[in-house]
Amino acid sequence: MNNFEFVKPSTVEEASAALQSEGAQALGGGQTLLPTMKQRLASPETLVSLTGVEGMVGVSASDGTVTVGGTTTHAQVAAEAASAYPALAALAGQIGDPAVRNRGTIGGSLANNDPAACYPSAALGSGASISTNKRNIAADDYFQGMFETALEEDEIITSVSFPVPEAASYQKFLQPASRFALTGVFVAKFPGGVRVAVTGASNNGVFRWTEAEEALSKEFRADALMDLRINHLNMISDLHGSQEYRAHLVGVMTRRAVESAS
Amino acid sequence: MTKVTMTINGKPRSGDAEGRTLLSSFLRDELGLTGTHVGCDTSQCGACVVHVNGKAVKSCTMFAAEADGAEVDTIEGQANADGSLNVIQQAFQDYHGLQCGFCTPGMVMSAAALLKENPIPSEAEIRHYLEGNICRCTGYHNIVRAILAASGQDVPAVAAE
Amino acid sequence: MPKDSGIGASPKRREDVRFLTGTGNYTDDINIHGQAYAWFIRSDAAHGKINNIDASAAEAMDGVLKVFTSADFAEAGGMPCGWQVTDRHGEAMQEPKHPILAEGKVRHVGDPIAVVVADTPDLARDAAEAVEIDIEELEAVMDMKAAVADGATKVHDDLTSNLCYDWGFVEENREAVDEAIKSAAHVTTLELVNNRLVANPMEPRVAVGDYNRANDEHTLYTTSQNPHVIRLLMGAFVLGIPEHKLRVVAPDVGGGFGAKIFHYAEEAFVTFAAKALNRPVKWTCSRSEAFISDAHGRDHVTKIELAMDENHKFTAIRTDTYANMGAYLSTFAPSVPTWLHGTLMAGNYTTPLIYVNVKAVFTNTVPVDAYRGAGRPEATFQLERVIDKAARELDIDPVELRRINFIQPDQFPYDTPVAVSYDTGNYQATMDKALEISGYADFEARRAESEARGKLRGIGVAHYIEACGIAPSNLVGQLGARAGLYESATVRVNATGSISVFTGSHSHGQGHETTFAQVVAEMIGVDASQIDIVHGDTSKVPMGMGTYGSRSIAVGGSAMVRATEKIINKAKKIAAHLMEASEADIELKDGQFSVAGTDKSVAWGDVTLAAYVPHNYPLEEIEPGLEESAFYDPANFTYPSGAYICEVEVDPETGEVDMLGFTAADDFGNVINPMIVEGQVHGGLAQGIGQAMMENCVYDENGQLLSGSFMDYTMPRADDMPMMNVDHSCQTPCTHNPLGVKGCGEAGAIGSPPAVVNAVIDALHRAGNKVEHIDMPVSPARVWKAMHG
């Protein structure tokens, strides 16, 4: 990879300042960024490691909300959110593999917004609030298409707050090589309605399947989805599955998520 | 270049690293610890797994500078103090859990991490835990059996369905 | 009680200790003082004309030693091809030049254009970005059938077309086969693809070149399955270095599977550059680079027709295959779809008439060559798939259809109509064994249980034969091989009785250091710990053809047996002298020489010491010392065979296939180390199951590789694989080698793909979905599409 200056700030302010320099980029766990840099598809001049920044690690629960620090690893979420938000913990426990989960962070995943990543579906499906060093961003405003987010250059995800639903489930159909989601669906049932977020399937990245949300909000049963078909035209087509296949999987995974929601 | 210092297999070691120096390169090229292998460049194969502060990580997907000050354990430090194979290593030999040996250091380090978290894993749990370690030689059959044995469990010739 | 040492025992592997403690010595672990690093600049375009290469900026950078291009290799030869196929009209195949670095044109993504050598790997790659290369892209030749149509763009402008050869086998049978198919009671036809694969040994390739100015000696450290073959090819044909000035070392090698047989440009480059720069030069391949520079495997498009009479006896087979050669001919590429494929089309059956046509085609893709099984999986897959299809069409049990047509145990030796003669076998026995172990008779109960859970369960059967123990030199010479395929061994007994065995076979996971020692230990009766197996270094081992084609124990082991027999014969002469007895009365048992019918004996160590301290020694009769060599050239191939059965569950909602269990009943003849044999089968099965279920090397129509890393090329993982029931109790020993062994390395990869696909098709049929065929890999998306049209 191209060389860069490695800086390891200890406060959010220092990190934000470091990110204002030309060609600077934040480094979370690096589990996606490092392979990208090895291919020289990303060549930051300064890499600002966030793992040493104080106050950005951990999982806490209060008042029906689970808050996850921006540099909390997937392994920590899988372990520490298990009682407060089991569906979120289960999702975190399915990302990558054990070694990847020991390094990869929620902030890194959401900032990258890979169209096949798991976390965006949990954030969007839960209606999470993404807190940065500057503001709070609603998940509905945060995801802006494949690899696109509302984050500004020097903005750092400090924490993510997930409203805990009555019942939820994440169903992931593996892309067998990368172990990302070929299609993953996060279903969350709140008192005010149901949210359904789909990852892995669309050319626009994570999205809400609003027709399914309406049907499930009326009746939270898998059968309520039987007549629904999602349009395949904006789906991803690649060597692992066609647009039609992904559209079909969205339906299957959504039904399975409803059946297994707890 | 900056100086990076870590405790490797219980001994303080330091060496020079650029920003871009990966932990795997630091171990192999700077310190001569060539037991840690690199089998891919997309963080999939797991031949490079080491423990950093007690957690299994892929050393090819971490900068050496990020491990500055950390405790790092590698395959070279796994044998017993008298030089004999530890329980996991011995089980891999007893059950023919390796052939070419290239993925083996990562497999052993992942197995050690698994047994620390889950001392009596089922066959399915072992297979699931190894999803980040690719072996091209064994079909995993004897690796799974070796880990069952290392955890003190009975090892069937062929596991029940 | 099972033996704990010698032939038939399963001692723990001695090589394991170094691998388990991180003290193995793989090529990338070798660093030579002062070494520089090579970075290959490879083509991004599948096909293009190189207009200009400007390396001046890169060469001016600090730490850069030189940027090499094809101009630096004007004196060197091209990468040689080791096999010449003659086509069905008697013409030699078309053989394009394969330069070390691209000359004028690039012909596949990954084709090396230039090499930067610098003080560090990062500097070399940084400088590579400063090399300006102007390439004018040309149309990529991708589809094999289109490639051989009139007017197609040519991969090689100096060839007449993209057709490497049009091979017919056996050409004299062509019309008789056509006639038999025309007059058959039933003909089953199947069109299929044998998917392109990437071998992906876990250790990527590495090459380190070193040059000693004092004595003009070159050393190449390389990740090879056959260092002597590299020495021969690179020394004689590429760089013009005689053997005595070229040492090739293949130390611990992290898997091969065929991809490390071939001589690659990078090996020639580092050897050449080390002298040119007077610095050791190292190249370490990344995985992504391996995908575009290691030879690929398989990639056949086939139509097979199976003709039967009214009693369901096979009467004829006609098969037409398009075989992808890629952009250049890799070392053994032409032999794979021909002699390693056509000769296996009889399978285990008595089909009297067979005609095989293979059109080998150049395309703008990475060269294709042998990958575990090499040709034999392609033969087995089409045959065992078409038999399954025929059984469905005729509504008879697929096991029964095979039984009706099996060559019977009393028919051996059996001459097939495709030029090979099977020495031994018992296919009923392996089939019965597999049926028994797999619980075939109770399948219906398991299927019903799956159905109750909403899953479609299927069972698939395949029987395979392979020809391995490659190969009789006179025969392969007639077939176009440009080398002999014997093996050599030298057994050096030291004065105190310890033994060094130098073998031309190479171990890169197979455990030769353990198994070869078992054989010699048994023959002499000494402890295996006294025996060292030395391999992988041309300066130590006189000659060797290496390890591939499941040949190590059958050919290399036989050479070792012959050399050891010579040792024993000489040692008996010495023992006879020491005991003042007749040589004919000397017996060797458990390391003791005794005189038959007496209580006189001398120990192994006394005899070996006498050989080197010949104070009391038959000097008039024999020379001092105790070292013998043998070259063993096999009289025939060996023919392992076996029955494979697998059970799968298909999720009808997603098309996902769950591999529930796999049974293999193999006949490998005699087995030296059952533990290692079983391990070889496990690994072969994983690769065969991988091919059938998930692995797929895919290019787009512009020649861009879509599956160019482990992110898109699906490697089987632990949770994809079942536990495997592996049996080798059916043994019909090989009749023509001293150990009665057949070879086990490739079997699993040969027999398993059709078993898997047959099982998936079976599951769908039992559920009423009459899908005839799904091409590999039977991925969820493909199964779902097949089910839903």
Side-chain angles (χ1 to χ4, degrees):
Chain A
M1 58 185 72
N2 293 103
N3 211 2
F4 53 83
E5 190 190 352
F6 182 83
V7 297
K8 196 167 182 181
S10 54
T11 67
V12 174
E13 291 72 28
E14 286 169 19
S16 178
L19 283 171
Q20 283 169 17
S21 69
E22 182 73 22
Q25 181 160 359
L27 171 67
Q31 300 302 287
T32 302
L33 183 58
L34 265 71
T36 311
M37 290 172 66
K38 287 182 193 177
Q39 302 297 329
R40 302 200 172 203
L41 297 173
S43 296
E45 286 167 35
T46 303
L47 210 48
V48 182
S49 172
L50 300 180
T51 45
V53 174
E54 292 158 4
M56 279 175 48
V57 182
V59 178
S60 61
S62 65
D63 300 335
T65 299
V66 165
T67 300
V68 180
T71 57
T72 311
T73 64
H74 310 326
Q76 283 173 284
V77 174
E80 295 170 23
S83 59
Y85 194 171
L88 178 67
L91 173 143
Q94 292 175 61
I95 299 171
D97 58 58
V100 166
R101 291 195 286 275
N102 282 332
R103 293 288 304 161
T105 65
I106 189 169
S109 174
L110 293 179
N112 189 46
N113 191 22
D114 188 298
C118 297
Y119 260 134
S121 72
L124 189 61
S126 305
S129 173
I130 291 129
S131 300
T132 73
N133 51 327
K134 297 185 170 176
R135 57 191 167 141
N136 296 325
I137 311 170
D140 284 321
D141 301 324
Y142 176 84
F143 298 103
Q144 301 189 346
M146 193 182 273
F147 298 112
E148 296 290 332
T149 70
L151 289 181
E152 292 164 14
E153 293 285 317
D154 57 346
E155 207 167 3
I156 297 163
I157 297 175
T158 51
S159 68
V160 185
S161 295
F162 295 86
V164 179
E166 296 169 357
S169 174
Y170 176 63
Q171 292 294 311
K172 177 180 182 179
F173 195 87
L174 284 180
Q175 195 269 48
S178 70
R179 305 268 159 156
F180 276 71
L182 187 69
T183 293
V185 177
F186 196 97
V187 170
K189 179 176 183 288
F190 290 94
V194 175
R195 291 173 72 100
V196 177
V198 179
T199 188
S202 169
N203 277 318
N204 292 337
V206 68
F207 69 95
R208 286 174 65 184
W209 187 13
T210 50
E211 292 87 350
E213 291 181 350
E214 285 163 21
L216 290 169
S217 295
K218 284 184 200 138
E219 189 184 15
F220 193 70
R221 291 174 53 229
D223 288 351
L225 300 165
M226 273 308 167
D227 297 329
L228 283 186
R229 295 282 177 277
I230 191 159
N231 191 321
H232 65 262
L233 289 179
N234 215 3
M235 297 285 168
I236 296 168
S237 178
D238 61 17
L239 70 160
H240 303 288
S242 63
Q243 294 181 318
E244 292 82 357
Y245 185 59
R246 279 187 167 79
H248 169 73
L249 283 181
V250 171
V252 175
M253 293 297 116
T254 307
R255 287 198 295 280
R256 290 183 180 180
V258 172
E259 282 163 359
S260 61
S262 60
Chain B
M1 290 282 182
T2 52
K3 197 67 139 185
V4 174
T5 301
M6 48 192 96
T7 303
I8 299 178
N9 301 324
K11 296 193 185 86
R13 300 288 298 265
S14 55
D16 291 326
E18 288 186 315
R20 61 181 164 179
T21 302
L22 300 168
L23 178 56
S24 53
S25 312
F26 184 75
L27 293 170
R28 288 181 54 80
D29 304 331
E30 183 70 15
L31 303 182
L33 294 169
T34 55
T36 297
H37 295 158
V38 177
C40 80
D41 46 12
T42 52
S43 205
Q44 301 281 321
C45 84
C48 67
V49 168
V50 300
H51 297 181
V52 174
N53 294 328
K55 304 270 189 205
V57 305
K58 291 183 164 170
S59 64
C60 80
T61 312
M62 180 173 182
F63 294 115
E66 293 180 282
D68 193 22
E71 303 263 345
V72 176
D73 294 298
T74 72
I75 190 67
E76 286 91 346
Q78 293 298 295
N80 296 323
D82 65 358
S84 60
L85 299 180
N86 76 10
V87 171
I88 296 170
Q89 291 168 317
Q90 189 61 57
F92 269 70
Q93 187 185 30
D94 291 347
Y95 288 88
H96 189 28
L98 66 154
Q99 292 183 23
C100 82
F102 196 80
C103 77
T104 306
M107 284 288 177
V108 169
M109 298 309 289
S110 280
L114 164 63
L115 296 184
K116 200 157 79 171
E117 278 177 34
N118 182 357
I120 313 285
S122 67
E123 182 201 326
E125 287 170 336
I126 294 169
R127 288 185 184 279
H128 183 62
Y129 195 88
L130 294 181
E131 74 174 321
N133 291 83
I134 300 176
C135 170
R136 194 55 151 166
C137 293
T138 64
Y140 306 98
H141 184 101
N142 284 337
I143 291 174
V144 173
R145 294 173 76 223
I147 296 172
L148 285 169
S151 64
Q153 303 184 74
D154 288 340
V155 182
V158 172
E161 232 174 59
Chain C
M1 224 184 90
K3 295 171 71 173
D4 58 7
S5 66
I7 293 172
S10 293
K12 293 169 193 170
R13 294 201 327 168
R14 53 174 64 179
E15 40 275 87
D16 287 357
V17 174
R18 66 178 189 268
F19 297 148
L20 283 161
T21 53
T23 48
N25 184 37
Y26 297 88
T27 309
D28 195 40
D29 302 341
I30 294 170
N31 294 296
I32 304 172
H33 182 70
Q35 76 191 5
Y37 297 83
W39 174 261
F40 280 71
I41 301 175
R42 299 179 183 278
S43 178
D44 295 329
H47 195 191
K49 183 166 168 283
I50 303 171
N51 285 331
N52 190 40
I53 302 171
D54 181 356
S56 53
E59 287 198 309
M61 289 169 71
D62 281 348
V64 174
L65 283 85
K66 181 172 167 63
V67 178
F68 291 81
T69 65
S70 65
D72 295 293
F73 293 92
E75 305 292 311
M79 307 303 296
C81 179
W83 203 294
Q84 178 178 283
V85 164
T86 303
D87 79 2
R88 65 191 197 86
H89 308 293
E91 302 285 321
M93 67 187 190
Q94 294 206 80
E95 190 171 356
K97 184 175 182 191
H98 184 180
I100 295 171
L101 298 176
E103 289 174 358
K105 263 175 91 170
V106 290
R107 295 185 175 88
H108 65 85
V109 169
D111 207 358
I113 301 167
V115 190
V116 183
V117 181
D119 286 335
T120 73
D122 283 326
L123 283 175
R125 192 164 177 188
D126 290 345
E129 292 183 352
V131 177
E132 289 184 27
I133 299 175
D134 174 16
I135 289 184
E136 179 185 334
E137 285 206 39
L138 302 169
E139 184 191 20
V141 178
M142 300 304 297
D143 179 80
M144 285 193 276
K145 291 180 184 173
V148 294
D150 287 343
T153 299
K154 285 196 286 187
V155 176
H156 295 276
D157 299 326
D158 52 342
L159 301 186
T160 59
S161 71
N162 293 315
L163 185 66
C164 177
Y165 54 74
D166 179 5
W167 185 74
F169 184 66
V170 172
E171 191 61 25
E172 295 73 46
N173 289 347
R174 185 187 182 95
E175 287 174 15
V177 168
D178 289 348
E179 204 48 49
I181 287 175
K182 233 180 271 174
S183 62
H186 185 85
V187 178
T188 297
T189 304
L190 182 60
E191 295 188 41
L192 52 83
V193 173
N194 203 292
N195 42 326
R196 190 182 185 104
L197 302 175
V198 183
N200 279 322
M202 292 317 299
E203 177 201 32
R205 288 189 298 118
V206 181
V208 186
D210 194 16
Y211 177 68
N212 185 336
R213 207 155 270 258
N215 54 14
D216 190 33
E217 280 184 10
H218 300 259
T219 303
L220 168 67
Y221 300 89
T222 183
T223 49
S224 176
Q225 299 175 217
N226 32 238
H228 292 84
V229 174
I230 304 306
R231 182 181 66 168
L232 177 67
L233 293 174
M234 183 176 83
F237 299 104
V238 187
L239 298 180
I241 305 169
E243 283 99 322
H244 68 292
K245 292 295 181 190
L246 175 57
R247 175 186 175 205
V248 179
V249 183
D252 286 330
V253 173
F257 315 112
K260 293 175 181 168
I261 297 172
F262 322 119
H263 177 38
Y264 287 99
E266 296 86 358
E267 295 170 321
F269 176 81
V270 298
T271 306
F272 177 90
K275 181 176 181 180
L277 299 170
N278 200 24
R279 290 264 299 263
V281 175
K282 182 174 193 173
W283 170 74
T284 301
C285 189
S286 72
R287 179 63 57 187
S288 300
E289 191 177 11
F291 271 95
I292 53 172
S293 63
D294 287 8
H296 293 173
R298 316 279 195 261
D299 203 350
H300 287 192
V301 175
T302 293
K303 177 184 175 187
I304 180 169
E305 294 156 285
L306 171 64
M308 284 153 282
D309 67 16
E310 51 286 345
N311 298 317
H312 305 150
K313 291 281 279 184
F314 303 159
T315 56
I317 290 169
R318 181 168 61 197
T319 170
D320 293 292
T321 288
Y322 288 81
N324 206 332
M325 293 287 101
Y328 304 98
L329 290 178
S330 176
T331 312
F332 291 110
S335 68
V336 175
T338 51
W339 301 106
L340 293 175
H341 164 251
T343 51
L344 268 295
M345 280 315 306
N348 306 90
Y349 312 103
T350 55
T351 318
L353 284 167
I354 297 174
Y355 180 74
V356 181
N357 180 255
V358 177
K359 293 181 178 69
V361 183
F362 294 110
T363 60
N364 290 119
T365 62
V366 169
V368 180
D369 205 328
Y371 166 63
R372 201 173 196 165
R376 291 150 291 174
E378 295 90 321
T380 305
F381 184 72
Q382 52 177 302
L383 187 58
E384 293 297 307
R385 280 289 302 125
V386 80
I387 291 172
D388 238 54
K389 185 167 184 246
R392 270 178 237 298
E393 289 175 357
L394 299 167
D395 197 25
I396 73 168
D397 182 73
V399 172
E400 187 56 26
L401 183 58
R402 289 178 171 87
R403 280 191 199 284
I404 293 170
N405 288 284
F406 272 157
I407 299 163
Q408 298 300 309
D410 60 4
Q411 289 180 279
F412 294 96
Y414 182 85
D415 292 332
T416 73
V418 275
V420 288
S421 180
Y422 302 160
D423 58 342
T424 55
N426 186 341
Y427 311 141
Q428 300 282 4
T430 40
M431 181 65 93
D432 287 344
K433 178 58 79 175
L435 293 173
E436 174 204 323
I437 301 174
S438 66
Y440 191 79
D442 307 324
F443 172 76
E444 179 52 31
R446 296 192 295 275
R447 194 202 60 77
E449 186 275 327
S450 294
E451 188 178 20
R453 287 185 286 107
K455 298 289 170 65
L456 317 180
R457 197 172 183 119
I459 191 162
V461 178
H463 209 286
Y464 76 91
I465 180 114
E466 65 156 321
C468 60
I470 291 172
S473 292
N474 57 356
L475 176 63
V476 296
Q478 289 166 29
L479 304 182
R482 288 162 167 164
L485 288 171
Y486 52 81
E487 194 49 272
S488 83
T490 296
V491 177
R492 177 182 299 158
V493 181
N494 302 306
T496 60
S498 68
I499 301 166
S500 299
V501 177
F502 301 86
T503 173
S505 295
H506 188 274
S507 184
H508 32 278
Q510 295 88 343
H512 295 167
E513 292 169 34
T514 302
T515 49
F516 280 35
Q518 283 176 253
V519 173
V520 175
E522 168 120 356
M523 289 179 72
I524 297 176
V526 297
D527 196 84
S529 63
Q530 292 214 58
I531 302 165
D532 239 11
I533 305 299
V534 179
H535 64 95
D537 185 342
T538 62
S539 73
K540 293 180 179 170
V541 180
M543 187 54 186
M545 295 311 294
T547 289
Y548 42 82
S550 305
R551 70 193 301 272
S552 292
I553 198 68
V555 189
S558 296
M560 182 179 67
V561 168
R562 292 284 183 248
T564 306
E565 286 169 352
K566 291 184 188 177
I567 290 283
I568 292 170
N569 287 341
K570 184 171 179 183
K572 281 183 173 176
K573 283 190 173 59
I574 302 168
H577 180 88
L578 291 175
M579 293 186 282
E580 298 177 336
S582 160
E583 187 192 331
D585 294 334
I586 303 296
E587 291 170 350
L588 170 62
K589 189 164 188 289
D590 296 336
Q592 288 283 327
F593 294 91
S594 56
V595 182
T598 74
D599 59 357
K600 281 203 268 187
S601 75
V602 288
W604 170 253
D606 295 330
V607 171
T608 62
L609 189 65
Y612 288 93
V613 187
H615 297 162
N616 176 18
Y617 193 86
L619 286 165
E620 311 73 31
E621 214 183 315
I622 50 175
E623 296 167 6
L626 199 49
E627 173 168 328
E628 298 287 348
S629 291
F631 278 62
Y632 179 84
D633 203 90
N636 190 355
F637 294 92
T638 62
Y639 299 95
S641 61
Y644 286 4
I645 298 180
C646 87
E647 232 166 285
V648 300
E649 221 172 50
V650 177
D651 180 338
E653 282 194 313
T654 62
E656 194 172 19
V657 178
D658 192 6
M659 172 62 61
L660 299 175
F662 206 103
T663 300
D666 293 291
D667 175 359
F668 295 131
N670 294 333
V671 165
I672 306 300
N673 182 319
M675 175 189 82
I676 285 178
V677 164
E678 288 161 21
Q680 289 292 304
V681 176
H682 294 151
L685 291 177
Q687 287 179 333
I689 292 169
Q691 167 167 30
M693 295 183 64
M694 60 200 86
E695 296 183 38
N696 204 15
C697 180
V698 184
Y699 284 93
D700 72 9
E701 69 274 17
N702 299 316
Q704 294 296 319
L705 184 60
L706 299 178
S707 52
S709 77
F710 287 160
M711 294 294 278
D712 282 300
Y713 187 90
T714 309
M715 294 286 280
R717 312 243 186 163
D719 58 1
D720 294 316
M721 291 296 300
M723 281 296 189
M724 295 169 268
N725 257 309
V726 169
D727 178 273
H728 46 80
S729 64
C730 300
Q731 299 185 349
T732 60
C734 171
T735 58
H736 57 79
N737 64 41
L739 292 166
V741 294
K742 294 186 175 179
C744 63
E746 296 164 291
I750 292 169
S752 55
V756 174
V757 178
N758 288 347
V760 172
I761 299 295
D762 182 66
L764 300 183
H765 272 253
R766 287 176 194 267
N769 200 326
K770 305 295 182 195
V771 172
E772 290 193 341
H773 179 69
I774 303 173
D775 272 324
M776 300 186 290
V778 288
S779 64
R782 284 188 177 178
V783 173
W784 181 79
K785 187 162 192 295
M787 291 175 74
H788 296 91

